[in-house]
Amino acid sequence: MKKRVLAAAAGLSLCTSVFAQSITLTNTFGGNNDSIDAPTGGSDFITFTQHDEKDDSNYGNTVTTVSDRLQLDFSTANLDGRIRTEFSTSTLNGKKADVRFRGWLRYRPVEQIGFVAGNDFFTKYTVAAAYFAASDDYASYGKMAENGIAVVGDIAGLRLAANISGDSLYDDNEEFKLNFGAQYRIKDVASFGATLKSVTNGNFSTGIFAALESVENLTLNAGFVYNSTETTFLPAASKYVLRASAGYKIKDAKLGLFADFATGLNNEYIAAEKDADKNITGYETLEYKKDGDDYVPLQVRGRVSFDATDTLSLNAFVKVNTLVGADRKHKAS
């Protein structure tokens, strides 16, 4: 289905681009894949990854990946869209080059309502307060709509979204999902948002978020997440999570300091159940315990950025996953 949706989007965009008010074609070495934790490694042109014992199939191998992205964005009075081609190649075990196509197309009969279709909406319909400053990314549970078909309404600072989607970059489950989202922004003051994901099946998750937006160059937001399947941006796939993010850009020094924080509210976490072919068949709830004692997972991420020029930014990242009170032997990965 997703391939057919994207093909339709591509065909319509070609037919309408000649009437476009704006057309932008960009090429990026590294091809940012909108997820720092994704396998291709963010927006780096060349990445080197050493696999460890947790990856049985690739134990002892070093992966070298080169990637590139070509993206077309266009807009008219009632129609806009994006088509992205991503190319990556890896030397691991003779793996051949990989090419994928992603994008979306939106039709707005009136300014307040949009109908969207595509196999990836990227971060277009994301709750602003779900932003992670240190990761410079949005988690899946903060997205009101990710792919498939969506109806989005905007009026006086309020955004409402309803979405039917398939699987995504973060979820290998092929079942169709019904998702909802809402956001209210008071310009230059604050924003609030909530998501309801997979409300019709066993993958249900939800989040509520709030952010302060009244201080220039300051990022400050927090939220609560109930989770059933998300395994990134959460400490050790916790089931109940309190998360926060903060950051500040020092313009004169061209520096940025950012931190993400997430902690489980109890010792419960989720684990994927897989069949003999390693396909995900469901999820189960487990507990962190040792000698009868409970442990709570904690995750902290940090980033320091330096804007060397208007087009070049240098970043240093650090991430720590741990179980509060657990020794090194039982440290979460």
Side-chain angles (χ1 to χ4, degrees):
M1 173 184 175
K2 293 190 296 182
K3 291 182 179 179
R4 290 197 297 269
V5 169
L6 184 57
L12 283 172
S13 67
L14 290 175
C15 293
T16 58
S17 61
V18 294
F19 305 105
Q21 297 173 339
S22 173
I23 300 176
T24 303
L25 183 65
T26 57
N27 187 79
T28 304
F29 289 117
N32 189 341
N33 52 23
D34 301 294
S35 175
I36 285 174
D37 283 339
T40 52
S43 58
D44 296 325
F45 176 44
I46 300 177
T47 62
F48 302 92
T49 304
Q50 175 68 46
H51 286 277
D52 58 21
E53 65 276 6
K54 296 173 185 177
D55 189 342
D56 297 333
S57 62
N58 297 322
Y59 177 69
N61 286 299
T62 299
V63 182
T64 303
T65 303
V66 179
S67 56
D68 183 64
R69 179 187 74 196
L70 182 65
Q71 179 171 299
L72 172 69
D73 291 279
F74 74 93
S75 65
T76 70
N78 302 103
L79 193 70
D80 61 337
R82 169 178 294 175
I83 300 172
R84 178 183 293 183
T85 301
E86 293 170 329
F87 165 84
S88 66
T89 180
S90 171
T91 61
L92 176 63
N93 296 332
K95 180 181 177 182
K96 296 181 180 179
D98 180 52
V99 178
R100 66 175 176 174
F101 300 91
R102 296 193 285 159
W104 52 268
L105 183 70
R106 178 178 65 172
Y107 172 64
R108 292 188 298 175
V110 294
E111 184 177 354
Q112 293 78 14
I113 298 177
F115 299 92
V116 194
N119 67 353
D120 200 328
F121 301 155
F122 306 103
T123 57
K124 188 171 183 64
Y125 299 112
T126 306
V127 174
Y131 176 68
F132 277 105
S135 304
D136 190 23
D137 207 349
Y138 293 89
S140 179
Y141 54 72
K143 296 181 179 181
M144 293 184 279
E146 294 184 67
N147 59 53
I149 301 172
V151 180
V152 181
D154 292 283
I155 183 170
L158 176 65
R159 165 168 285 181
L160 300 173
N163 169 228
I164 298 175
S165 69
D167 64 351
S168 70
L169 291 174
Y170 308 92
D171 185 354
D172 291 329
N173 192 306
E174 294 288 347
E175 293 184 27
F176 283 99
K177 307 169 184 66
L178 182 61
N179 310 307
F180 297 97
Q183 175 178 266
Y184 182 67
R185 302 186 78 169
I186 305 172
K187 186 177 180 181
D188 297 328
V189 177
S191 67
F192 309 89
T195 59
L196 295 169
K197 309 296 290 290
S198 301
V199 298
T200 57
N201 58 43
N203 300 324
F204 175 74
S205 65
T206 184
I208 55 175
F209 313 93
L212 178 68
E213 300 182 351
S214 59
V215 180
E216 187 178 3
N217 301 323
L218 175 69
T219 298
L220 185 61
N221 62 59
F224 166 79
V225 179
Y226 165 77
N227 168 60
S228 62
T229 60
E230 171 73 55
T231 57
T232 60
F233 292 94
L234 293 174
S238 299
K239 195 164 187 178
Y240 303 93
V241 176
L242 184 66
R243 46 83 64 204
S245 187
Y248 188 74
K249 293 182 178 180
I250 308 172
K251 289 292 188 179
D252 292 340
K254 299 182 179 181
L255 284 175
L257 305 174
F258 311 93
D260 301 334
F261 169 86
T263 180
L265 297 181
N266 62 12
N267 69 328
E268 292 185 344
Y269 71 99
I270 60 170
E273 298 176 320
K274 298 182 179 180
D275 58 22
D277 297 324
K278 296 186 177 182
N279 296 314
I280 296 178
T281 59
Y283 297 86
E284 60 180 335
T285 299
L286 302 177
E287 294 182 339
Y288 288 111
K289 282 184 177 291
K290 179 187 176 184
D291 300 329
D293 295 327
D294 296 336
Y295 293 101
V296 176
L298 171 70
Q299 179 183 105
V300 179
R301 303 184 188 205
R303 176 168 65 97
V304 177
S305 69
F306 174 69
D307 296 328
T309 68
D310 292 338
T311 58
L312 176 63
S313 178
L314 305 177
N315 293 267
F317 298 87
V318 63
K319 180 175 73 171
V320 177
N321 281 356
T322 189
L323 298 177
V324 177
D327 58 27
R328 185 177 298 274
K329 181 179 178 181
H330 290 81
K331 186 176 180 181
S333 60

